[in-house]
Amino acid sequence: MDLATKPGTATPGGDAPKTAGDVSRQPQEIDGFQLVIDALKLNGIDTIYALPGIPITDLTRRSQAEGIRVLAFRHEQNAGYAASIAGFLTQKPGICLTVSAPGFLNGLNALAHATVNCFPMILISGSSEREIVDLQQGDYEEMDQLAIAKPVAKAAYRVLHADDIGVGIARAIRAAVSGRPGGVYLDLPAKLFAQSIDAEAGRKTLIKVVDPAPKQIPAPEAVKRALDLLKSAKRPLIVLGKGAAYAQADADIKTLVEKSGIPYLPMSMAKGLVPDTHEQCASAARSFVLPGADVVMLIGARLNWLLSHGKGKTWGGKSAKDWGGQKFIQVDISPQEADSNVRIDAPVVGDIGSCVSALLAGMGGSWAKPPAEWLSAVIEKKESNVAKMAETLAKNPSPMNFHSALNVVRDIIKANPEAILVNEGANALDFTRSIVDMYKPRKRIDVGTWGIMGVGMGYCVAAAVTTKQQVIAVEGDSAFGFSGMEVETICRYNLPVCVVVMNNNGVYKGTDVDPTGRDPAPTVFVKGARYEKLMEAFGGVGVVAATPAELRSAIEEAIRSGKPTLINAVIDENAGTESGRITSLNPAAAKKKS
Ligand code: ADP
Ligand code: TPW
Ligand code: MG
């Protein structure tokens, strides 16, 4: 069935002139719906994360009928987070499709998240009638969506005529994936879908984007400047960020690390780019290497709050704003990133693949390893911290705490290094990041630059669909709540997702009380909540795990069966600390001792 090209089947109400009456002379027509689908397919878009409704219901149906995988969610925010992480994992823009005003706004959070995290994503939203919206005459779901999207998007476009759909989608794709990737908004008014134009002419307007993310080769002098600085270092350090993971230059990055012999620190989503168990990995000596280093090479990592802005006590500065004395090399595709917080002595601007191969070429055959004194100091610090952690992990307290539960997850990921680990929460996030080693690139996806709660189930769906691997999500009980209803989506598509809810009865802890005695405290939930029943409600497997042994066998069974599973891991409600590792960011008045 080809609705779009059959004469006379175009939806009425389109703007294009029609030759009514004489069917034999009627040209073959194509409508806006079909042009959008054809444009996406032409550009290799094979999956859409959506929530149907006016005016995009038929777009979801017809996309599916044409072989695009349409994953329908229960809330647009989760569809959006799914699209954003699909972009990170595949380097193709993840597509989120929503209805107008409220659906668009629900998706907008994820669009902002994609932009902030440098993930390529396109939010496509249907919108209401321009003439009515612009005169504010009160249309169904009236909103000037383009204006609202602009400040949080890398780019935002609106298409008004069917013969511009090809250009609109091409521009959106290029904007999402070229240079620093980001979130792009594409506004498609309801009227556009129904417009019909001559089919042959319409098809000619479609654009297959050539080389959507062109290589950007760094200048030879920038590479030389960086290598000269690195060579002069007595205590060098490499920091790998999620931009490096995104770039898919895995082999060259590992070679660069090994050839240089420099200790490296992976940011959260760069864990596993080089295995966390590598002898040069300095994660366990983080608070030693940051203040100790004299030259730091950042590869796809920004000096934002996650790296204490490159200064202050974390970096050995005397006070919160003082420079620690480090010199920085920054490898990044965005020329504006350098000097954002502290002086960058050697910016290397280009795509990470090209930059790393240029650095490798410049290093030549004989590169002197860093001074042995520095390397042995790092190893010594690391070994003593690892030994301390091993002691804590070996304990088996009752009730179970974060450490004893995560010791199990650590073993499971070691035995299943291809599995994707989704992670959100506060303590549930921080402890997982430091305890669970990753062995392969792009296997850990988490709260990202904003430390955002709610990415969990959307990430699970996209990770399972795009990688076809087992997904294990370690979720704080609060974090899980933001997207919990999507367990129905996980069951509906029968995805190999095992959700472990670290259930400590609340946000950070489950022990707060309302001093007036009237209500539950704002940070606590229903005690002993049975999250596993939510999964059972939709046909998945639900398990309560109160001990590490129960947790281990439940995750192992989930992996063996590949069935959607939710494990309610009962954690000591006293075990966490306020805000996990970032208590210091709480305004002083609200600060609480753990
Ligand atoms: P992290 O949170 O892991 O420290 P950030 O999100 O702060 O990482 O930084 C990622 C950086 O990577 C951004 O500055 C972005 O411009 C850069 N980046 C993303 N993709 C590429 C790429 N392909 N080549 C070069 N730089 C990239
Ligand atoms: C969109 C603020 C940061 S962490 C967190 C909240 C609400 C939940 C912590 O509790 P959880 O973890 O998940 O149970 P645990 O192990 O410490 O008990 N809204 C958004 N994002 C953020 N970051 C918040 C609120 C927050
Ligand atoms: Mg909790």
Side-chain angles (χ1 to χ4, degrees):
M1 182 186 68
D2 188 356
L3 270 180
T5 51
K6 250 195 228 157
T9 54
T11 321
D15 288 353
K18 290 195 188 71
T19 43
D22 184 355
V23 172
S24 64
R25 284 198 299 120
Q26 204 168 20
Q28 295 247 312
E29 292 198 329
I30 187 165
D31 66 7
F33 282 118
Q34 192 64 38
L35 284 163
V36 172
I37 294 166
D38 289 352
L40 292 173
K41 283 177 73 172
L42 184 64
N43 285 290
I45 304 289
D46 53 15
T47 308
I48 294 176
Y49 303 90
L51 202 157
I54 295 173
I56 52 99
T57 316
D58 270 355
L59 186 57
T60 60
R61 288 200 187 104
R62 285 172 58 176
S63 297
Q64 185 174 57
E66 297 247 352
I68 294 180
R69 190 146 198 217
V70 181
L71 295 149
F73 283 72
R74 307 298 294 259
H75 190 293
E76 291 88 350
Q77 186 170 300
N78 305 318
Y81 287 144
S84 76
I85 208 66
F88 170 77
L89 292 169
T90 65
Q91 294 184 324
K92 282 200 287 187
I95 309 289
C96 174
L97 178 62
T98 80
V99 302
S100 12
F104 157 78
L105 285 173
N106 284 346
L108 198 61
N109 200 324
L111 183 73
H113 168 77
T115 306
V116 164
N117 283 275
C118 318
F119 298 158
M121 166 186 171
I122 304 174
L123 173 67
I124 302 180
S125 295
S127 59
S128 300
E129 203 161 324
R130 285 252 49 82
E131 290 82 348
I132 303 180
V133 171
D134 288 348
L135 276 170
Q136 298 177 28
Q137 293 175 307
D139 201 5
Y140 167 71
E141 298 191 349
E142 172 181 298
M143 176 173 277
D144 185 359
Q145 296 167 197
L146 186 70
I148 289 165
K150 269 184 187 161
V152 298
K154 183 182 172 194
Y157 307 105
R158 176 186 291 136
V159 181
L160 292 178
H161 299 290
D163 51 10
D164 286 331
I165 287 173
V167 168
I169 288 189
R171 299 212 76 190
I173 291 171
R174 270 198 196 282
V177 297
S178 63
R180 171 184 278 179
V184 176
Y185 176 59
L186 188 63
D187 193 85
L188 302 183
K191 259 192 178 176
L192 177 80
F193 296 117
Q195 276 179 31
S196 285
I197 58 173
D198 176 74
E200 207 191 318
R203 292 219 167 82
K204 283 193 188 141
T205 63
L206 300 184
I207 296 173
K208 182 168 166 50
V209 177
V210 177
D211 195 12
K215 275 191 181 173
Q216 297 190 23
I217 315 284
E221 57 272 26
V223 173
K224 182 171 183 309
R225 191 187 297 120
L227 288 173
D228 286 348
L229 181 54
L230 204 57
K231 225 178 268 175
S232 73
K234 299 271 181 302
R235 300 179 308 281
L237 175 69
I238 294 174
V239 176
L240 300 173
K242 61 177 161 330
Y246 172 79
Q248 299 194 14
D250 309 336
D252 272 1
I253 289 173
K254 185 156 184 277
T255 307
L256 178 75
V257 167
E258 290 180 341
K259 195 168 167 183
S260 71
I262 297 173
Y264 70 93
L265 206 56
M267 299 301 286
S268 180
M269 280 176 57
K271 275 167 70 79
L273 187 44
V274 183
D276 282 340
T277 46
H278 194 283
E279 58 176 1
Q280 284 167 254
C281 181
S283 292
R286 189 179 198 271
S287 55
F288 175 75
V289 292
L290 290 180
D294 62 349
V295 174
V296 180
M297 179 156 76
L298 304 159
I299 306 181
R302 287 169 286 186
L303 281 177
N304 56 16
W305 69 282
L306 289 159
L307 281 169
S308 306
H309 307 282
K311 59 194 169 192
K313 290 191 174 158
T314 309
W315 292 88
K318 284 191 200 69
S319 69
K321 292 233 157 184
D322 274 348
W323 179 44
Q326 288 82 5
K327 300 211 156 173
F328 288 99
I329 299 162
Q330 185 159 33
V331 180
D332 204 290
I333 202 155
S334 165
Q336 283 162 281
E337 189 53 42
D339 305 329
S340 61
N341 286 273
V342 293
R343 178 190 308 119
I344 300 298
D345 300 274
V348 181
V349 176
D351 70 278
I352 283 167
S354 302
C355 292
V356 170
S357 78
L359 287 163
L360 276 174
M363 285 165 82
S366 60
W367 181 268
K369 302 264 144 127
E373 220 176 298
W374 170 238
L375 297 182
S376 56
V378 176
I379 286 179
E380 201 179 304
K381 190 74 198 166
K382 181 172 144 176
E383 282 175 352
S384 91
N385 284 344
V386 167
K388 263 188 243 159
M389 178 62 95
E391 257 175 50
T392 316
L393 292 179
K395 289 182 189 151
N396 194 0
S398 180
M400 186 158 68
N401 66 7
F402 287 98
H403 290 86
S404 52
L406 289 167
N407 189 36
V408 171
V409 179
R410 174 186 163 98
D411 290 347
I412 301 259
I413 294 289
K414 187 173 184 187
N416 301 275
E418 292 296 341
I420 308 267
L421 180 66
V422 173
N423 191 200
E424 60 178 339
N427 294 280
L429 176 90
D430 292 335
F431 286 124
T432 305
R433 188 178 55 238
S434 60
I435 293 169
V436 179
D437 290 327
M438 304 307 297
Y439 300 86
K440 303 246 169 152
R442 292 171 299 283
K443 295 298 185 186
R444 185 189 152 86
I445 48 181
D446 65 26
V447 300
T449 303
W450 266 348
I452 203 166
M453 299 298 116
V455 292
M457 298 305 104
Y459 274 20
C460 285
V461 171
V465 164
T466 59
T467 71
K468 314 252 185 306
Q469 299 292 340
Q470 174 69 43
V471 177
I472 298 169
V474 176
E475 299 273 315
D477 51 338
S478 165
F480 172 71
F482 287 73
S483 66
M485 191 63 203
E486 302 295 347
V487 297
E488 188 276 331
T489 311
I490 290 166
C491 288
R492 186 164 16 106
Y493 294 103
N494 194 24
L495 300 173
V497 173
C498 173
V499 182
V500 180
V501 175
M502 305 290 268
N503 188 359
N504 63 348
N505 294 340
V507 176
Y508 314 137
K509 277 171 164 269
T511 49
D512 272 3
V513 285
D514 173 358
T516 72
R518 184 172 57 186
D519 281 324
T523 54
V524 305
F525 298 141
V526 167
K527 304 245 180 218
R530 302 290 301 274
Y531 292 101
E532 77 286 357
K533 291 191 182 287
L534 196 56
M535 189 60 103
E536 287 173 354
F538 304 108
V541 177
V543 186
V544 180
T547 65
E550 286 168 5
L551 180 58
R552 190 180 302 269
S553 68
I555 305 180
E556 282 172 353
E557 176 55 22
I559 294 174
R560 202 199 51 71
S561 73
K563 286 188 189 152
T565 301
L566 193 152
I567 304 166
N568 183 355
V570 182
I571 303 288
D572 183 354
E573 64 175 11
N574 288 288
T577 58
E578 175 96 6
S579 305
R581 291 269 169 86
I582 53 174
T583 310
S584 61
L585 298 182
N586 269 326
K591 209 177 276 181
K592 261 192 75 178
K593 285 185 216 83
S594 62

